[in-house]
Amino acid sequence: AYPFGHGLSYTTFTMTMMRPPTLDGLGGLSFSVSVANTGGVAGKEVAQVYLTFPDYGLLGEPERVLRAFQKTPTLPPGAAVTLNFSLSSRDLSVWNPCGAGGGGLIPGYVCAPTGVGWLRVGGTFTVHVGASSRDPNSTRHDVTVVGSVVAPPRPPAFPPRRGASHHAIMSC
């Protein structure tokens, strides 16, 4: 089986973090990645940004979550391009379905005022940039973020079925 985002190319590329992830004024992250064609023929590459959340899996999120991607222009052999990425505060959040008493599922975090909502997770995130979700040559960088509730919940596109889990009504 191939990893998510896997593609084939007639050339090879390397990705290097030029400007490491830093918090912007809106609570998101911004950073730059250089993509260089190290092969012998011209080609394009898609730089994919994945986040590993602190203590991932507490609310069902996978080890790596795709949060952004950009395709390069056609690069001749030896050429490079810098791609700028911005991740929003919502990109650093998970859906938090609170219990009837208003307490969150993650100890130490506070629910949105409505009882459910997007929860900005605090801790050390790992930002991975590569050609797929399991690219062994991906560039990665850790960044620490302070957690808080960031946005009121969006209503689900369809009402949840009785007994449905929160995973069935997530809309991203």
Side-chain angles (χ1 to χ4, degrees):
Y2 293 102
F4 181 79
H6 176 79
L8 298 176
S9 178
Y10 291 104
T11 191
T12 56
F13 295 90
T14 60
M15 297 185 199
T16 307
M17 194 82 69
M18 299 301 290
R19 186 172 47 91
T22 56
L23 289 170
D24 62 23
L26 301 174
L29 296 175
S30 60
F31 54 95
S32 299
V33 175
S34 173
V35 180
N37 182 346
T38 56
V41 297
K44 297 178 183 179
E45 180 65 288
V46 177
Q48 302 172 32
V49 177
Y50 294 88
L51 287 183
T52 297
F53 281 76
D55 300 321
Y56 70 87
L58 287 177
L59 289 176
E61 68 277 4
E63 179 182 353
R64 292 184 185 180
V65 181
L66 178 67
R67 286 298 193 229
F69 59 91
Q70 285 188 48
K71 189 172 193 172
T72 68
T74 300
L75 297 174
V81 66
T82 298
L83 303 176
N84 296 309
F85 289 95
S86 292
L87 300 181
S88 71
S89 186
R90 177 70 61 87
D91 290 328
L92 304 175
S93 303
V94 295
W95 184 252
N96 188 20
C98 296
L105 295 179
I106 302 176
Y109 287 100
V110 179
C111 290
T114 58
V116 295
W118 287 100
L119 179 68
R120 166 80 171 268
V121 177
T124 301
F125 285 80
T126 302
V127 178
H128 306 264
V129 183
S132 75
S133 62
R134 296 287 178 209
D135 182 356
N137 299 316
S138 67
T139 183
R140 52 184 273 171
H141 196 277
D142 292 340
V143 61
T144 300
V145 173
V146 176
S148 64
V149 175
V150 294
R154 289 187 291 185
F158 301 98
R161 294 172 302 176
R162 180 177 291 272
S165 74
H166 71 279
H167 299 289
I169 60 171
M170 284 181 64
S171 59
C172 298

